[in-house]
Amino acid sequence: MWLDTYSDDFKKPPHFTSLKKLITFASDVNDADFTLRAKHRLERFRKEFEMANKVDPLLFHFCLCDEVDYVLQTEFCKPLEFHNIPNDTIAEQLTYIDAVSHPI
């Protein structure tokens, strides 16, 4: 099938017009299997395009934990950039995780 073998022919971001026309054609001829495969390919292309054009810095969601089921509501519960988290805070969290996952 052309879509599987030459999928780059349909990979024209940001609108993917050729692939959308192919989906419309497949729907018009009542080929449910082909329509579904083309829709999955469109979704994959959209995700690839979004990931390639993402410019947001990598953020970590980091919360301080006092106990296993209790999260402190502090300023550290908002998304932080990794390099802005104090070293001692990271060390405490890693020590805590190690202690919980390797009990004596």
Side-chain angles (χ1 to χ4, degrees), residues 83-97:
H83 66 275
N84 290 336
I85 302 171
N87 292 338
D88 58 335
T89 303
I90 293 173
E92 289 172 0
Q93 292 297 305
L94 292 175
T95 302
Y96 176 77
I97 290 169

Side-chain angles (χ1 to χ4, degrees), residues 8-48:
D8 286 344
D9 290 351
F10 300 96
K11 195 174 190 176
K12 306 283 190 245
H15 301 293
F16 305 100
T17 308
S18 299
L19 189 52
K20 287 180 179 176
K21 287 181 181 179
L22 190 62
I23 291 169
T24 302
F25 171 77
S27 296
D28 290 345
V29 295
N30 294 322
D31 190 339
D33 180 54
F34 184 62
T35 302
L36 184 62
R37 288 178 34 229
K39 285 181 179 181
H40 285 300
R41 185 67 52 113
L42 176 61
E43 187 60 31
R44 191 174 92 205
F45 286 166
R46 282 183 177 157
K47 286 180 182 177
E48 289 174 3

Side-chain angles (χ1 to χ4, degrees), residues 49-93:
F49 178 70
E50 288 172 5
M51 293 301 291
N53 292 306
K54 192 172 185 177
V55 292
D56 294 342
L58 182 62
L59 297 177
F60 291 86
H61 295 277
F62 190 85
C63 291
L64 297 174
C65 295
D66 187 33
E67 296 178 13
V68 176
D69 295 324
Y70 181 73
V71 177
L72 295 172
Q73 297 297 323
T74 68
E75 62 182 303
F76 292 108
C77 286
K78 60 185 176 184
L80 296 173
E81 292 183 13
F82 188 72
H83 66 275
N84 290 336
I85 302 171
N87 292 338
D88 58 335
T89 303
I90 293 173
E92 289 172 0
Q93 292 297 305

